Amino acid sequence: MIDCHTDLSHYEFVVSEIDTSKLSRRERQIIDILYRLGEASAKQVMEEMDDAPSYSAVRALLTTLLNKQKVTHKKQGKQYIYKPAQEQKIARKSAVKNLLSTFFDGKADQLVAMLLDPKDQQLTEEEIEKIRKSLDES
């Protein structure tokens, strides 16, 4: 989760949607790590990766993500610190819109019905209450 109290003045912001459907598996993995950590160096990203490639490969992937405007970076000492170019909440909405248009003809009720299908989900009363609260907050 991104800390809202972080000094953002050193970041280069790019207004672009993070559409992870156009990213490789490793690029998506890095974006996920950056969302989880908020920001990280290439070394920190590599340490968080399952079956991590070499350090130079991680740096190359981060450079690719910079070129695709999916991450931003700032120089901190001798290293760069990377973060997603877009807030997670905005990226989530974009991903859901993409999911809806691709698989559900833009119909949210079909997505919700699939997610709540009793054959696939065994929700507890507590989980149902969490869903209700989430809907009230959005």
Side-chain angles (χ1 to χ4, degrees), residues 63-80:
T63 299
T64 299
L65 288 168
L66 276 168
N67 292 335
K68 291 180 176 183
Q69 300 182 338
K70 305 302 181 187
V71 300
T72 61
H73 71 294
K74 66 178 179 179
K75 191 163 176 101
Q76 192 172 65
K78 293 184 178 185
Q79 64 183 353
Y80 286 102

Side-chain angles (χ1 to χ4, degrees), residues 73-135:
H73 71 294
K74 66 178 179 179
K75 191 163 176 101
Q76 192 172 65
K78 293 184 178 185
Q79 64 183 353
Y80 286 102
I81 303 298
Y82 299 87
K83 69 175 277 174
Q86 188 175 60
E87 289 182 44
Q88 190 172 18
K89 185 175 181 179
I90 295 168
R92 251 188 224 146
K93 284 185 178 186
S94 175
V96 170
K97 283 181 185 177
N98 187 34
L99 180 69
L100 281 172
S101 66
T102 303
F103 297 104
F104 298 97
D105 297 323
K107 297 176 183 163
D109 60 326
Q110 290 180 8
L111 171 61
V112 172
M114 196 252 350
L115 290 172
L116 298 179
D117 186 340
K119 294 177 232 159
D120 299 326
Q121 302 291 330
Q122 298 299 318
L123 297 174
T124 64
E125 287 298 321
E126 181 181 324
E127 291 168 324
I128 292 169
E129 188 57 33
K130 276 184 175 179
I131 292 169
R132 283 189 181 122
K133 284 181 182 179
S134 294
L135 290 171

Side-chain angles (χ1 to χ4, degrees), residues 37-68:
L37 298 179
E39 64 180 24
S41 67
K43 182 179 182 219
Q44 290 169 316
V45 168
M46 186 179 85
E47 289 169 352
E48 292 289 319
M49 295 177 86
D50 295 328
D51 191 30
S54 68
Y55 176 75
S56 60
V58 172
R59 291 212 31 204
L61 286 162
L62 284 162
T63 299
T64 299
L65 288 168
L66 276 168
N67 292 335
K68 291 180 176 183

